[in-house]
Amino acid sequence: SARTASAVAKPGECLPATEAQRTQQIGTHEVTIADPAMQRIYALLERLARSPIPVLIQGETGTGKEIAATALHVWSQRPGRLVAQNCAALPETLAESELFGHEKGAFTGAISQKQGLLEQAAQGTLFLDEVGELPLSLQAKLLRALESQKIVRVGGSRDIPIDVRIVAATHRDLEAEVKQGRFRQDLFFRLVAARVMLPPLRDRRREVPLLLRQFLR
C-alpha cells in the first residue's frame, strides 16, 4: 500500500507501493517482509549486526525469533558458525557440559573430550533460544564466562579463551523473572545490551495473505 511504502521509504525518497514488500533469503529462511514495523525491525537488525554487542530478542512463540537471530549472524559477516540451542531442551544434569564442554573422564560416560557450545561458536554467534529456562546455577557460570571471555571445561582446570557473540531469545518477561528471583539481574543486564521486540502476526495483518500464498505454493 501507499501507506506502507511511505513508512519504508528513506527521507526524501519516493518508493512505489509495489516495492514496499520484499522477499529475501536469510540463511536457509526465505523471508517476506511487508509490514512497516517489520521493515523497521529488520533495518535495526542490520545495524545491530555490525556490532559485537549481545542482543536479546523478545516475542511470542512463532514471531520469528530464530530468523531474527540468523539475520544478526549472517549480516555480521563473522567468520565462525551460528550455533543454536534451545535452553528449554537442555537436561539440567547435562546443561553445563553442553555449554562449556568436558574433558575425557570428567564423569561417567565422558569417554572423550568434548567442545561445548561456546567453543563451537568460536568467532561466530551462539543463539540461546528460551534463555529464561536456564537453571540459576548455570546462569552464574554463563555470566562469568561472558565477563571474562574464558571458559573451563567440566573436569578441566585450564582457562580457554572464547570469542563469541551472544544472541538470546525468550517469550518470557525477563524483568518479571528477575523480580521473582528466577533470573539473575546481572546476567539480564549482560544479555540486553540491545533489545529487539518482535510483534505477533495478529499485529502484522498485511503479511497474512502473503504468507498464505507462500504456503499454498
Side-chain angles (χ1 to χ4, degrees), residues 25-27 49 69-78 82 125:
Q25 197 72 27
I26 300 176
T70 303
L72 283 168
H73 174 71
V74 170
W75 294 337
S76 75
Q77 299 184 334
R78 288 178 66 85
L82 170 64
T125 304

Side-chain angles (χ1 to χ4, degrees), residues 27 69-85 98 114-128 163-167:
T70 303
L72 283 168
H73 174 71
V74 170
W75 294 337
S76 75
Q77 299 184 334
R78 288 178 66 85
R81 297 167 50 201
L82 170 64
V83 177
Q85 176 63 53
E98 287 296 314
K114 176 185 176 179
Q115 283 192 342
L117 298 173
L118 285 157
E119 283 187 86
Q120 294 173 34
Q123 295 186 297
T125 304
L126 176 58
F127 174 47
L128 296 174
D163 171 15
V164 60
R165 198 255 185 98
I166 299 291
V167 175

Side-chain angles (χ1 to χ4, degrees), residues 31-45 56-68 170-171 195-208 211:
V31 183
T32 298
I33 306 169
D35 184 84
M38 293 303 290
Q39 295 275 8
R40 291 191 291 271
I41 284 170
Y42 273 85
L44 172 63
L45 290 171
L56 179 67
I57 303 169
Q58 291 185 275
E60 297 176 12
T61 300
T63 49
K65 295 188 290 292
E66 182 181 352
I67 297 174
T170 181
H171 73 282
R195 187 188 328 216
V196 175
M197 302 289 293
L198 296 180
L201 187 59
R202 63 179 174 273
D203 294 338
R204 295 147 47 190
R205 295 188 178 183
R206 190 172 186 274
E207 295 184 349
V208 172
L211 290 170

Side-chain angles (χ1 to χ4, degrees), residues 74-121:
V74 170
W75 294 337
S76 75
Q77 299 184 334
R78 288 178 66 85
R81 297 167 50 201
L82 170 64
V83 177
Q85 176 63 53
N86 185 329
C87 298
L90 275 176
E92 190 165 349
T93 53
L94 297 176
E96 185 176 0
S97 171
E98 287 296 314
L99 271 180
F100 303 104
H102 62 249
E103 300 290 353
K104 181 178 179 180
F107 50 84
T108 302
I111 58 175
S112 61
Q113 184 189 80
K114 176 185 176 179
Q115 283 192 342
L117 298 173
L118 285 157
E119 283 187 86
Q120 294 173 34

